[in-house]
Amino acid sequence: MDSVGVAAAAPDAGPGPAWQSKCPWGAPSTTSISCSLADVMSEQLAKELQLEEENAVFPEVVAAAEGPFITGENIDTSSDLMLAQMLQMEFDREYDAQLRREEKKINGDSKVSISFENYRKVHPYDSDSSEDEVDWQDTRHDPYRADKPTTTPRRGFIGKGKDITTKHDEVVCGRKNTARMENFAPEFQVGDGIGMDLKLSNQVFNALKQHAYSEERRSARLHEKKEHSTAEKAVDPKTRLLLYKMVNSGMLETITGCISTGKESVVFHAYGGNSATEDKVIPPECAIKVFKTTLNEFKNRDKYIKDDYRFKDRFSKLNPRKIIRMWAEKEMHNLTRMQNAGIPCPQVVILKKHVLVMSFIGQDQIPAPKLKDVTLSSEDMKKAYYQILNMMQQLYRECNLVHADLSEYNMLWHDGKVWLIDVSQSVEPTHPHGLEFLFRDCRNVSQFFQKGGVAEALNERELFNAVSGLNITADNEVDFQAEIEALEKMNEDHVQNHGKKLSTFSSDGDPPIYDE
Ligand code: ADP
Ligand code: MN
């Protein structure tokens, strides 16, 4: 079955597909009260977290296949890579434990003691294995952004005559990589081979090299108390561990690489595993959305979530990291609602903290193109338009949602139809700004299709009325928006007076369903 089949089959599958029924991660915990909303929004806290975050950045490579390093062909080492990284972390921990023992031995009962702190490999923040771990990333130097690839030698071989070594000679290459580890920074402990014939695959070597470099820079940074973190791609170690567990449990087969690095998330492609013990089916191809946990993005987004009554009670009780997880949770819930209404969208596989696994829209690792990137025939363009009009109505009426970031950037063209993605910011229409968000969505959609030559495309005001079922008559944008805001205010007043929202804005019947 292909990914389309999996996603499309779902609406018939009742409340949820079989593979959703059992959650190997257990129920999400909602404990821990660590700060108030005021704290969360405070500049002081922001600064502290920023500082903490800078000290905690410890980025690593997940999608090493993308790296500007040597590559080998047909070597499937994706799980080796994870393992090697885990082992390296273990090794670092042991190394530090040994340091501590030596420190203790030297210091004994003496009043004056020396510290090996600066020689440690695993820095204090990383060794904290509590539930509330690092999520914060430096926002100025984005560790998720892929580095510009450096050039690799074109000819792909070295040596002469019969001593020629091509980059594809796995065994020789492996030994070379092992030898090259010695070139890492002197304080980077690579261990010795104890006479063993060690062969490292290119991918593992690259990952370790990356690790060595980042550790080197990280240590330098800590010691010099530099302000800036290095620009690295990939995710923090805790996220890596989550991904590793997903592969290790058999839920995912392999994580092949990164599809997208956006401001707010990184998306990876993975092949679904066949966790045979669970009575659930994982889609053959999955997309893994890792929510980036930058303070800045979070601050920009609070207006979406803090007024969403579904999350209201919890907002004030959560620490900032948990609010990031809430974005992922919101996307999961919204996707599920859409799935139940039969709207083409990714199907949720599992949510773990700030990592959401869903079905992949696309095929053979190639994601479906965004609407903005695809050239459609005028016939398909018209078809797409009517489909979107329909989906917006369904979203509003059946899912009780407004997308709130709808545009040609968040619609994929796959299998001859439009798929909606990116719904973590979606809100209910009665959200204090819900109608404004809807109007913005309508404007994007109208403009896109009017420019795209769909003569039938309604203008943004007509589209707004068609989706919401409201009958705002203003014939210009300014007045129209004023009426929208008046309606929102009316709803807010109703909340003040009655302690609850209007169930819906519409009193003049259902909106007409537009069909071709
Ligand atoms: P962001 O908040 O970063 O825009 P999105 O959810 O829009 O996050 O994902 C970013 C990009 O990743 C999308 O534009 C799309 O190309 C790709 N993507 C996301 N989810 C999927 C999916 N389920 N299948 C295929 N591609 C996806
Ligand atoms: Mn997007």
PDB file of all heavy atoms in Angstrom, residues 259-267 286-287 289 291 301 331 346-347 358-362 367-370 405 409-410 412 421-425, ligand 1:
ATOM      1  N   ILE A 259      13.749  16.918   4.971  1.00  0.00           N
ATOM      2  CA  ILE A 259      12.960  17.423   3.836  1.00  0.00           C
ATOM      3  C   ILE A 259      12.911  18.937   3.872  1.00  0.00           C
ATOM      4  O   ILE A 259      12.892  19.589   2.839  1.00  0.00           O
ATOM      5  CB  ILE A 259      11.487  16.949   3.905  1.00  0.00           C
ATOM      6  CG1 ILE A 259      11.371  15.464   4.156  1.00  0.00           C
ATOM      7  CG2 ILE A 259      10.760  17.332   2.635  1.00  0.00           C
ATOM      8  CD1 ILE A 259       9.941  15.063   4.489  1.00  0.00           C
ATOM      9  N   SER A 260      12.843  19.468   5.068  1.00  0.00           N
ATOM     10  CA  SER A 260      12.611  20.901   5.168  1.00  0.00           C
ATOM     11  C   SER A 260      13.148  21.435   6.491  1.00  0.00           C
ATOM     12  O   SER A 260      13.006  20.792   7.535  1.00  0.00           O
ATOM     13  CB  SER A 260      11.105  21.161   5.082  1.00  0.00           C
ATOM     14  OG  SER A 260      10.760  22.358   5.726  1.00  0.00           O
ATOM     15  N   THR A 261      13.782  22.580   6.432  1.00  0.00           N
ATOM     16  CA  THR A 261      14.140  23.247   7.677  1.00  0.00           C
ATOM     17  C   THR A 261      13.497  24.616   7.630  1.00  0.00           C
ATOM     18  O   THR A 261      13.888  25.455   6.833  1.00  0.00           O
ATOM     19  CB  THR A 261      15.663  23.425   7.833  1.00  0.00           C
ATOM     20  OG1 THR A 261      16.130  24.217   6.740  1.00  0.00           O
ATOM     21  CG2 THR A 261      16.382  22.108   7.821  1.00  0.00           C
ATOM     22  N   GLY A 262      12.484  24.776   8.415  1.00  0.00           N
ATOM     23  CA  GLY A 262      11.756  26.049   8.438  1.00  0.00           C
ATOM     24  C   GLY A 262      12.099  26.817   9.701  1.00  0.00           C
ATOM     25  O   GLY A 262      12.949  26.407  10.490  1.00  0.00           O
ATOM     26  N   LYS A 263      11.397  27.925   9.852  1.00  0.00           N
ATOM     27  CA  LYS A 263      11.645  28.745  11.041  1.00  0.00           C
ATOM     28  C   LYS A 263      11.180  28.017  12.287  1.00  0.00           C
ATOM     29  O   LYS A 263      11.770  28.149  13.348  1.00  0.00           O
ATOM     30  CB  LYS A 263      10.852  30.047  10.918  1.00  0.00           C
ATOM     31  CG  LYS A 263      11.673  31.187  10.370  1.00  0.00           C
ATOM     32  CD  LYS A 263      10.972  32.513  10.651  1.00  0.00           C
ATOM     33  CE  LYS A 263       9.497  32.433  10.345  1.00  0.00           C
ATOM     34  NZ  LYS A 263       8.760  33.669  10.246  1.00  0.00           N
ATOM     35  N   GLU A 264      10.112  27.268  12.138  1.00  0.00           N
ATOM     36  CA  GLU A 264       9.500  26.697  13.329  1.00  0.00           C
ATOM     37  C   GLU A 264       9.626  25.188  13.451  1.00  0.00           C
ATOM     38  O   GLU A 264       9.288  24.617  14.471  1.00  0.00           O
ATOM     39  CB  GLU A 264       8.025  27.099  13.374  1.00  0.00           C
ATOM     40  CG  GLU A 264       7.877  28.583  13.647  1.00  0.00           C
ATOM     41  CD  GLU A 264       6.584  29.156  13.117  1.00  0.00           C
ATOM     42  OE1 GLU A 264       5.732  28.375  12.669  1.00  0.00           O
ATOM     43  OE2 GLU A 264       6.436  30.373  13.155  1.00  0.00           O
ATOM     44  N   SER A 265      10.086  24.553  12.391  1.00  0.00           N
ATOM     45  CA  SER A 265      10.201  23.104  12.471  1.00  0.00           C
ATOM     46  C   SER A 265      11.238  22.571  11.496  1.00  0.00           C
ATOM     47  O   SER A 265      11.612  23.249  10.554  1.00  0.00           O
ATOM     48  CB  SER A 265       8.855  22.452  12.148  1.00  0.00           C
ATOM     49  OG  SER A 265       8.610  22.532  10.753  1.00  0.00           O
ATOM     50  N   VAL A 266      11.680  21.356  11.789  1.00  0.00           N
ATOM     51  CA  VAL A 266      12.495  20.614  10.839  1.00  0.00           C
ATOM     52  C   VAL A 266      11.708  19.362  10.505  1.00  0.00           C
ATOM     53  O   VAL A 266      11.153  18.732  11.398  1.00  0.00           O
ATOM     54  CB  VAL A 266      13.837  20.163  11.448  1.00  0.00           C
ATOM     55  CG1 VAL A 266      14.787  19.705  10.356  1.00  0.00           C
ATOM     56  CG2 VAL A 266      14.459  21.269  12.236  1.00  0.00           C
ATOM     57  N   VAL A 267      11.643  19.028   9.232  1.00  0.00           N
ATOM     58  CA  VAL A 267      10.873  17.853   8.846  1.00  0.00           C
ATOM     59  C   VAL A 267      11.819  16.825   8.217  1.00  0.00           C
ATOM     60  O   VAL A 267      12.612  17.165   7.334  1.00  0.00           O
ATOM     61  CB  VAL A 267       9.745  18.222   7.868  1.00  0.00           C
ATOM     62  CG1 VAL A 267       8.936  16.987   7.485  1.00  0.00           C
ATOM     63  CG2 VAL A 267       8.825  19.276   8.476  1.00  0.00           C
ATOM     64  N   CYS A 286       7.041   7.968   6.199  1.00  0.00           N
ATOM     65  CA  CYS A 286       6.578   8.904   7.224  1.00  0.00           C
ATOM     66  C   CYS A 286       7.306  10.238   7.118  1.00  0.00           C
ATOM     67  O   CYS A 286       8.424  10.312   6.617  1.00  0.00           O
ATOM     68  CB  CYS A 286       6.838   8.344   8.622  1.00  0.00           C
ATOM     69  SG  CYS A 286       5.919   6.849   8.981  1.00  0.00           S
ATOM     70  N   ALA A 287       6.640  11.268   7.606  1.00  0.00           N
ATOM     71  CA  ALA A 287       7.288  12.566   7.785  1.00  0.00           C
ATOM     72  C   ALA A 287       7.387  12.800   9.287  1.00  0.00           C
ATOM     73  O   ALA A 287       6.432  12.536  10.016  1.00  0.00           O
ATOM     74  CB  ALA A 287       6.474  13.669   7.124  1.00  0.00           C
ATOM     75  N   LYS A 289       7.991  15.619  11.984  1.00  0.00           N
ATOM     76  CA  LYS A 289       8.095  17.071  12.188  1.00  0.00           C
ATOM     77  C   LYS A 289       8.630  17.334  13.590  1.00  0.00           C
ATOM     78  O   LYS A 289       7.985  17.001  14.579  1.00  0.00           O
ATOM     79  CB  LYS A 289       6.725  17.731  11.971  1.00  0.00           C
ATOM     80  CG  LYS A 289       6.749  19.244  12.065  1.00  0.00           C
ATOM     81  CD  LYS A 289       5.480  19.845  11.483  1.00  0.00           C
ATOM     82  CE  LYS A 289       5.466  21.356  11.641  1.00  0.00           C
ATOM     83  NZ  LYS A 289       4.257  21.968  11.044  1.00  0.00           N
ATOM     84  N   PHE A 291       9.429  20.076  16.166  1.00  0.00           N
ATOM     85  CA  PHE A 291       9.150  21.485  16.419  1.00  0.00           C
ATOM     86  C   PHE A 291      10.369  22.144  17.019  1.00  0.00           C
ATOM     87  O   PHE A 291      10.919  21.668  18.003  1.00  0.00           O
ATOM     88  CB  PHE A 291       7.932  21.626  17.346  1.00  0.00           C
ATOM     89  CG  PHE A 291       6.654  21.371  16.612  1.00  0.00           C
ATOM     90  CD1 PHE A 291       6.269  20.074  16.316  1.00  0.00           C
ATOM     91  CD2 PHE A 291       5.856  22.425  16.184  1.00  0.00           C
ATOM     92  CE1 PHE A 291       5.099  19.831  15.603  1.00  0.00           C
ATOM     93  CE2 PHE A 291       4.686  22.192  15.471  1.00  0.00           C
ATOM     94  CZ  PHE A 291       4.311  20.900  15.180  1.00  0.00           C
ATOM     95  N   ARG A 301       4.281  33.515  18.688  1.00  0.00           N
ATOM     96  CA  ARG A 301       3.125  32.697  18.441  1.00  0.00           C
ATOM     97  C   ARG A 301       2.115  32.681  19.580  1.00  0.00           C
ATOM     98  O   ARG A 301       1.063  32.094  19.442  1.00  0.00           O
ATOM     99  CB  ARG A 301       3.591  31.257  18.220  1.00  0.00           C
ATOM    100  CG  ARG A 301       3.969  30.991  16.785  1.00  0.00           C
ATOM    101  CD  ARG A 301       4.410  29.594  16.675  1.00  0.00           C
ATOM    102  NE  ARG A 301       4.093  29.065  15.356  1.00  0.00           N
ATOM    103  CZ  ARG A 301       3.737  27.830  15.131  1.00  0.00           C
ATOM    104  NH1 ARG A 301       3.611  26.977  16.123  1.00  0.00           N
ATOM    105  NH2 ARG A 301       3.492  27.415  13.926  1.00  0.00           N
ATOM    106  N   GLU A 331      -1.041  20.391  16.595  1.00  0.00           N
ATOM    107  CA  GLU A 331      -1.015  19.914  15.210  1.00  0.00           C
ATOM    108  C   GLU A 331      -1.628  18.517  15.136  1.00  0.00           C
ATOM    109  O   GLU A 331      -2.395  18.204  14.233  1.00  0.00           O
ATOM    110  CB  GLU A 331       0.416  19.906  14.654  1.00  0.00           C
ATOM    111  CG  GLU A 331       0.497  19.342  13.237  1.00  0.00           C
ATOM    112  CD  GLU A 331       1.284  20.200  12.260  1.00  0.00           C
ATOM    113  OE1 GLU A 331       2.230  20.866  12.700  1.00  0.00           O
ATOM    114  OE2 GLU A 331       0.945  20.200  11.065  1.00  0.00           O
ATOM    115  N   PRO A 346      -1.919  14.845   6.151  1.00  0.00           N
ATOM    116  CA  PRO A 346      -1.122  13.759   6.710  1.00  0.00           C
ATOM    117  C   PRO A 346      -1.861  13.085   7.869  1.00  0.00           C
ATOM    118  O   PRO A 346      -2.590  13.735   8.612  1.00  0.00           O
ATOM    119  CB  PRO A 346       0.132  14.470   7.232  1.00  0.00           C
ATOM    120  CG  PRO A 346       0.182  15.762   6.503  1.00  0.00           C
ATOM    121  CD  PRO A 346      -1.243  16.143   6.245  1.00  0.00           C
ATOM    122  N   GLN A 347      -1.645  11.805   7.982  1.00  0.00           N
ATOM    123  CA  GLN A 347      -2.283  11.052   9.055  1.00  0.00           C
ATOM    124  C   GLN A 347      -1.311  10.908  10.226  1.00  0.00           C
ATOM    125  O   GLN A 347      -0.142  10.571  10.032  1.00  0.00           O
ATOM    126  CB  GLN A 347      -2.633   9.673   8.536  1.00  0.00           C
ATOM    127  CG  GLN A 347      -3.476   8.892   9.495  1.00  0.00           C
ATOM    128  CD  GLN A 347      -4.326   7.880   8.757  1.00  0.00           C
ATOM    129  OE1 GLN A 347      -4.063   7.551   7.607  1.00  0.00           O
ATOM    130  NE2 GLN A 347      -5.332   7.381   9.424  1.00  0.00           N
ATOM    131  N   MET A 358       4.017  11.535  11.170  1.00  0.00           N
ATOM    132  CA  MET A 358       2.775  11.426  10.390  1.00  0.00           C
ATOM    133  C   MET A 358       3.065  10.750   9.061  1.00  0.00           C
ATOM    134  O   MET A 358       4.224  10.506   8.730  1.00  0.00           O
ATOM    135  CB  MET A 358       2.186  12.818  10.165  1.00  0.00           C
ATOM    136  CG  MET A 358       3.171  13.779   9.521  1.00  0.00           C
ATOM    137  SD  MET A 358       2.549  15.459   9.529  1.00  0.00           S
ATOM    138  CE  MET A 358       4.047  16.395   9.719  1.00  0.00           C
ATOM    139  N   SER A 359       2.023  10.454   8.324  1.00  0.00           N
ATOM    140  CA  SER A 359       2.251   9.833   7.022  1.00  0.00           C
ATOM    141  C   SER A 359       2.865  10.861   6.073  1.00  0.00           C
ATOM    142  O   SER A 359       2.646  12.061   6.206  1.00  0.00           O
ATOM    143  CB  SER A 359       0.948   9.282   6.456  1.00  0.00           C
ATOM    144  OG  SER A 359       0.057  10.334   6.191  1.00  0.00           O
ATOM    145  N   PHE A 360       3.646  10.339   5.166  1.00  0.00           N
ATOM    146  CA  PHE A 360       4.378  11.184   4.220  1.00  0.00           C
ATOM    147  C   PHE A 360       3.522  11.450   2.988  1.00  0.00           C
ATOM    148  O   PHE A 360       2.981  10.516   2.390  1.00  0.00           O
ATOM    149  CB  PHE A 360       5.670  10.454   3.846  1.00  0.00           C
ATOM    150  CG  PHE A 360       6.552  11.173   2.861  1.00  0.00           C
ATOM    151  CD1 PHE A 360       7.236  12.317   3.232  1.00  0.00           C
ATOM    152  CD2 PHE A 360       6.727  10.684   1.568  1.00  0.00           C
ATOM    153  CE1 PHE A 360       8.071  12.971   2.337  1.00  0.00           C
ATOM    154  CE2 PHE A 360       7.560  11.332   0.674  1.00  0.00           C
ATOM    155  CZ  PHE A 360       8.229  12.478   1.052  1.00  0.00           C
ATOM    156  N   ILE A 361       3.389  12.715   2.608  1.00  0.00           N
ATOM    157  CA  ILE A 361       2.670  13.046   1.373  1.00  0.00           C
ATOM    158  C   ILE A 361       3.725  13.167   0.270  1.00  0.00           C
ATOM    159  O   ILE A 361       4.517  14.111   0.258  1.00  0.00           O
ATOM    160  CB  ILE A 361       1.897  14.370   1.499  1.00  0.00           C
ATOM    161  CG1 ILE A 361       1.073  14.411   2.793  1.00  0.00           C
ATOM    162  CG2 ILE A 361       0.993  14.590   0.286  1.00  0.00           C
ATOM    163  CD1 ILE A 361       0.104  13.283   2.974  1.00  0.00           C
ATOM    164  N   GLY A 362       3.740  12.201  -0.604  1.00  0.00           N
ATOM    165  CA  GLY A 362       4.776  12.133  -1.622  1.00  0.00           C
ATOM    166  C   GLY A 362       5.116  10.678  -1.849  1.00  0.00           C
ATOM    167  O   GLY A 362       4.420   9.792  -1.347  1.00  0.00           O
ATOM    168  N   PRO A 367       8.992  14.561  -1.464  1.00  0.00           N
ATOM    169  CA  PRO A 367       7.748  15.144  -0.979  1.00  0.00           C
ATOM    170  C   PRO A 367       6.938  15.751  -2.116  1.00  0.00           C
ATOM    171  O   PRO A 367       7.500  16.237  -3.101  1.00  0.00           O
ATOM    172  CB  PRO A 367       8.207  16.229   0.002  1.00  0.00           C
ATOM    173  CG  PRO A 367       9.625  16.505  -0.321  1.00  0.00           C
ATOM    174  CD  PRO A 367      10.178  15.293  -0.992  1.00  0.00           C
ATOM    175  N   ALA A 368       5.633  15.695  -1.970  1.00  0.00           N
ATOM    176  CA  ALA A 368       4.755  16.323  -2.964  1.00  0.00           C
ATOM    177  C   ALA A 368       5.080  17.809  -3.027  1.00  0.00           C
ATOM    178  O   ALA A 368       5.381  18.420  -2.011  1.00  0.00           O
ATOM    179  CB  ALA A 368       3.307  16.113  -2.550  1.00  0.00           C
ATOM    180  N   PRO A 369       5.019  18.397  -4.216  1.00  0.00           N
ATOM    181  CA  PRO A 369       5.351  19.821  -4.338  1.00  0.00           C
ATOM    182  C   PRO A 369       4.299  20.703  -3.684  1.00  0.00           C
ATOM    183  O   PRO A 369       3.130  20.352  -3.631  1.00  0.00           O
ATOM    184  CB  PRO A 369       5.394  20.048  -5.850  1.00  0.00           C
ATOM    185  CG  PRO A 369       4.532  18.986  -6.420  1.00  0.00           C
ATOM    186  CD  PRO A 369       4.655  17.797  -5.517  1.00  0.00           C
ATOM    187  N   LYS A 370       4.745  21.837  -3.194  1.00  0.00           N
ATOM    188  CA  LYS A 370       3.806  22.833  -2.693  1.00  0.00           C
ATOM    189  C   LYS A 370       3.067  23.411  -3.890  1.00  0.00           C
ATOM    190  O   LYS A 370       3.598  23.449  -4.997  1.00  0.00           O
ATOM    191  CB  LYS A 370       4.572  23.955  -1.990  1.00  0.00           C
ATOM    192  CG  LYS A 370       5.359  23.508  -0.782  1.00  0.00           C
ATOM    193  CD  LYS A 370       6.058  24.729  -0.183  1.00  0.00           C
ATOM    194  CE  LYS A 370       6.983  24.375   0.953  1.00  0.00           C
ATOM    195  NZ  LYS A 370       8.204  23.702   0.542  1.00  0.00           N
ATOM    196  N   ASP A 405      -2.926  29.673   8.609  1.00  0.00           N
ATOM    197  CA  ASP A 405      -1.681  29.895   7.854  1.00  0.00           C
ATOM    198  C   ASP A 405      -1.850  29.282   6.466  1.00  0.00           C
ATOM    199  O   ASP A 405      -0.946  28.661   5.922  1.00  0.00           O
ATOM    200  CB  ASP A 405      -0.486  29.281   8.586  1.00  0.00           C
ATOM    201  CG  ASP A 405       0.845  29.780   8.003  1.00  0.00           C
ATOM    202  OD1 ASP A 405       0.842  30.786   7.282  1.00  0.00           O
ATOM    203  OD2 ASP A 405       1.879  29.150   8.264  1.00  0.00           O
ATOM    204  N   TYR A 409       1.880  27.855   0.220  1.00  0.00           N
ATOM    205  CA  TYR A 409       3.053  27.247   0.861  1.00  0.00           C
ATOM    206  C   TYR A 409       2.675  26.037   1.707  1.00  0.00           C
ATOM    207  O   TYR A 409       3.504  25.199   1.993  1.00  0.00           O
ATOM    208  CB  TYR A 409       3.763  28.263   1.761  1.00  0.00           C
ATOM    209  CG  TYR A 409       4.505  29.324   0.986  1.00  0.00           C
ATOM    210  CD1 TYR A 409       3.833  30.414   0.427  1.00  0.00           C
ATOM    211  CD2 TYR A 409       5.886  29.232   0.810  1.00  0.00           C
ATOM    212  CE1 TYR A 409       4.496  31.384  -0.297  1.00  0.00           C
ATOM    213  CE2 TYR A 409       6.575  30.197   0.094  1.00  0.00           C
ATOM    214  CZ  TYR A 409       5.874  31.269  -0.461  1.00  0.00           C
ATOM    215  OH  TYR A 409       6.550  32.215  -1.185  1.00  0.00           O
ATOM    216  N   ASN A 410       1.430  26.016   2.148  1.00  0.00           N
ATOM    217  CA  ASN A 410       1.019  24.929   3.024  1.00  0.00           C
ATOM    218  C   ASN A 410      -0.030  24.017   2.387  1.00  0.00           C
ATOM    219  O   ASN A 410      -0.822  23.380   3.074  1.00  0.00           O
ATOM    220  CB  ASN A 410       0.515  25.476   4.359  1.00  0.00           C
ATOM    221  CG  ASN A 410       1.663  25.929   5.241  1.00  0.00           C
ATOM    222  OD1 ASN A 410       2.745  25.326   5.209  1.00  0.00           O
ATOM    223  ND2 ASN A 410       1.452  26.968   6.020  1.00  0.00           N
ATOM    224  N   LEU A 412      -0.108  20.981  -0.538  1.00  0.00           N
ATOM    225  CA  LEU A 412       0.711  20.141  -1.416  1.00  0.00           C
ATOM    226  C   LEU A 412      -0.165  19.575  -2.525  1.00  0.00           C
ATOM    227  O   LEU A 412      -1.359  19.325  -2.328  1.00  0.00           O
ATOM    228  CB  LEU A 412       1.354  19.000  -0.613  1.00  0.00           C
ATOM    229  CG  LEU A 412       2.177  19.391   0.617  1.00  0.00           C
ATOM    230  CD1 LEU A 412       2.779  18.139   1.282  1.00  0.00           C
ATOM    231  CD2 LEU A 412       3.285  20.372   0.273  1.00  0.00           C
ATOM    232  N   ILE A 421      -1.481  20.912   4.921  1.00  0.00           N
ATOM    233  CA  ILE A 421      -0.523  20.574   5.979  1.00  0.00           C
ATOM    234  C   ILE A 421      -0.325  21.781   6.894  1.00  0.00           C
ATOM    235  O   ILE A 421      -0.902  22.834   6.660  1.00  0.00           O
ATOM    236  CB  ILE A 421       0.858  20.159   5.401  1.00  0.00           C
ATOM    237  CG1 ILE A 421       1.440  21.285   4.540  1.00  0.00           C
ATOM    238  CG2 ILE A 421       0.748  18.887   4.583  1.00  0.00           C
ATOM    239  CD1 ILE A 421       2.931  21.141   4.280  1.00  0.00           C
ATOM    240  N   ASP A 422       0.494  21.579   7.901  1.00  0.00           N
ATOM    241  CA  ASP A 422       0.954  22.669   8.767  1.00  0.00           C
ATOM    242  C   ASP A 422      -0.190  23.321   9.533  1.00  0.00           C
ATOM    243  O   ASP A 422      -0.500  24.498   9.324  1.00  0.00           O
ATOM    244  CB  ASP A 422       1.700  23.702   7.900  1.00  0.00           C
ATOM    245  CG  ASP A 422       2.652  24.568   8.726  1.00  0.00           C
ATOM    246  OD1 ASP A 422       2.717  24.351   9.944  1.00  0.00           O
ATOM    247  OD2 ASP A 422       3.297  25.441   8.140  1.00  0.00           O
ATOM    248  N   VAL A 423      -0.788  22.578  10.439  1.00  0.00           N
ATOM    249  CA  VAL A 423      -1.962  23.084  11.150  1.00  0.00           C
ATOM    250  C   VAL A 423      -1.732  23.269  12.648  1.00  0.00           C
ATOM    251  O   VAL A 423      -2.674  23.280  13.427  1.00  0.00           O
ATOM    252  CB  VAL A 423      -3.193  22.168  10.911  1.00  0.00           C
ATOM    253  CG1 VAL A 423      -3.651  22.259   9.468  1.00  0.00           C
ATOM    254  CG2 VAL A 423      -2.881  20.715  11.263  1.00  0.00           C
ATOM    255  N   SER A 424      -0.468  23.428  13.039  1.00  0.00           N
ATOM    256  CA  SER A 424      -0.225  23.594  14.475  1.00  0.00           C
ATOM    257  C   SER A 424      -0.795  24.912  14.987  1.00  0.00           C
ATOM    258  O   SER A 424      -1.121  25.042  16.158  1.00  0.00           O
ATOM    259  CB  SER A 424       1.268  23.505  14.790  1.00  0.00           C
ATOM    260  OG  SER A 424       1.972  24.521  14.124  1.00  0.00           O
ATOM    261  N   GLN A 425      -0.895  25.900  14.106  1.00  0.00           N
ATOM    262  CA  GLN A 425      -1.401  27.204  14.544  1.00  0.00           C
ATOM    263  C   GLN A 425      -2.902  27.352  14.308  1.00  0.00           C
ATOM    264  O   GLN A 425      -3.466  28.397  14.605  1.00  0.00           O
ATOM    265  CB  GLN A 425      -0.645  28.334  13.849  1.00  0.00           C
ATOM    266  CG  GLN A 425      -1.007  28.514  12.389  1.00  0.00           C
ATOM    267  CD  GLN A 425      -0.572  27.350  11.521  1.00  0.00           C
ATOM    268  OE1 GLN A 425       0.550  26.887  11.653  1.00  0.00           O
ATOM    269  NE2 GLN A 425      -1.451  26.839  10.678  1.00  0.00           N
TER     270      GLN A 425
HETATM  271  P1  ADP B   1       6.700  24.757   8.864  1.00  0.00           P
HETATM  272  O1  ADP B   1       6.030  25.276  10.086  1.00  0.00           O
HETATM  273  O2  ADP B   1       8.163  24.653   9.002  1.00  0.00           O
HETATM  274  O3  ADP B   1       6.267  25.491   7.602  1.00  0.00           O
HETATM  275  P2  ADP B   1       5.362  22.460   7.669  1.00  0.00           P
HETATM  276  O4  ADP B   1       4.446  21.543   8.394  1.00  0.00           O
HETATM  277  O5  ADP B   1       4.760  23.384   6.670  1.00  0.00           O
HETATM  278  O6  ADP B   1       6.200  23.241   8.749  1.00  0.00           O
HETATM  279  O7  ADP B   1       6.461  21.563   6.966  1.00  0.00           O
HETATM  280  C1  ADP B   1       7.519  22.132   6.224  1.00  0.00           C
HETATM  281  C2  ADP B   1       7.665  21.448   4.883  1.00  0.00           C
HETATM  282  O8  ADP B   1       7.932  20.063   5.071  1.00  0.00           O
HETATM  283  C3  ADP B   1       6.422  21.497   4.040  1.00  0.00           C
HETATM  284  O9  ADP B   1       6.378  22.648   3.251  1.00  0.00           O
HETATM  285  C4  ADP B   1       6.524  20.259   3.200  1.00  0.00           C
HETATM  286  O10 ADP B   1       7.330  20.493   2.080  1.00  0.00           O
HETATM  287  C5  ADP B   1       7.246  19.289   4.119  1.00  0.00           C
HETATM  288  N1  ADP B   1       6.301  18.417   4.808  1.00  0.00           N
HETATM  289  C6  ADP B   1       5.729  18.605   6.012  1.00  0.00           C
HETATM  290  N2  ADP B   1       4.918  17.597   6.346  1.00  0.00           N
HETATM  291  C7  ADP B   1       4.964  16.731   5.315  1.00  0.00           C
HETATM  292  C8  ADP B   1       4.335  15.464   5.030  1.00  0.00           C
HETATM  293  N3  ADP B   1       3.493  14.889   5.899  1.00  0.00           N
HETATM  294  N4  ADP B   1       4.624  14.859   3.859  1.00  0.00           N
HETATM  295  C9  ADP B   1       5.466  15.429   2.980  1.00  0.00           C
HETATM  296  N5  ADP B   1       6.082  16.587   3.190  1.00  0.00           N
HETATM  297  C10 ADP B   1       5.845  17.248   4.326  1.00  0.00           C
END
